[in-house]
């Protein structure tokens, strides 16, 4: 069984600063209720999407224009048997220049195919990073609550 961490990458024309700023503007690209600060080292925030997903993240690494890492300090995923699967996992956003473009590599360290939520969570992260965060970076507007339309199953909310 593949135990590789989930990762997805986008390439944009914008600067590393614009990408870094967008990543830290979590409410503009991730659905759900977010309480707390999300901008700098040691900030902590709580995330909740309906009764499906509740978690707490702490920013444990923040290097302007290069990297942001969240530690999931507490999680409750109500659509899988092991509701605490995310506890202790890390979510990283690595930013680098690739020629005249900026690459954003998102990795949820610990989210592997061994997790019951892997398919739903990886699909949701793909949507949030490759669509919502991408549009926030490139168009100035993400769409964090698009899934509210009911087109997708709630299980797909990371």
């Amino acid at each position: 069984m593949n135990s590789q961490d989930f990762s997805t990458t986008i390439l944009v024309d914008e600067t590393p600063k614009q990408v870094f700023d967008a990543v830290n503007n979590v409410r503009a690209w991730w659905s759900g209720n977010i309480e707390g600060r999300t901008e700098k080292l040691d900030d902590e925030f709580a995330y909740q999407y309906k009764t499906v997903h509740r978690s707490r993240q702490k920013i444990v690494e923040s290097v302007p224009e290069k990297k942001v890492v969240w530690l999931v300090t507490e999680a409750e995923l109500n659509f899988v048997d092991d509701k605490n699967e995310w506890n202790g996992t890390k979510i990283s956003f690595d930013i680098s220049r690739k020629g005249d473009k900026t690459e954003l590599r998102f990795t949820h360290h610990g989210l592997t195919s061994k997790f019951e939520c892997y398919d739903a969570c990886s699909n949701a992260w793909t949507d949030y990073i490759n669509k919502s965060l991408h549009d926030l970076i490139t168009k100035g507007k993400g769409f964090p609550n698009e899934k509210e339309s009911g087109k997708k199953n709630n299980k797909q909310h990371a």
Side-chain angles (χ1 to χ4, degrees), residues 2-8 107-113 118:
N2 183 0
S3 64
Q4 188 172 11
D5 298 322
F6 172 74
S7 188
T8 187
T107 306
H108 190 152
H109 302 275
L111 177 59
T112 68
S113 59
Y118 183 80

Side-chain angles (χ1 to χ4, degrees), residues 24-80:
N24 287 317
N25 187 3
V26 180
R27 289 171 184 84
W29 62 266
W30 196 16
S31 290
N33 183 41
I34 296 171
E35 294 182 11
R37 299 192 54 89
T38 65
E39 298 87 24
K40 62 182 179 31
L41 187 63
D42 294 325
D43 280 354
E44 294 186 55
F45 62 96
Y47 170 87
Q48 182 168 347
Y49 180 76
K50 298 184 179 180
T51 60
V52 176
H53 173 172
R54 183 185 60 75
S55 60
R56 292 192 61 78
Q57 283 71 220
K58 179 177 182 175
I59 300 175
V60 295
E61 189 173 349
S62 181
V63 180
E65 302 179 30
K66 295 197 181 298
K67 187 171 197 165
V68 177
V69 180
W70 304 342
L71 171 64
V72 181
T73 59
E74 181 183 337
E76 184 177 337
L77 306 177
N78 288 319
F79 57 94
V80 293

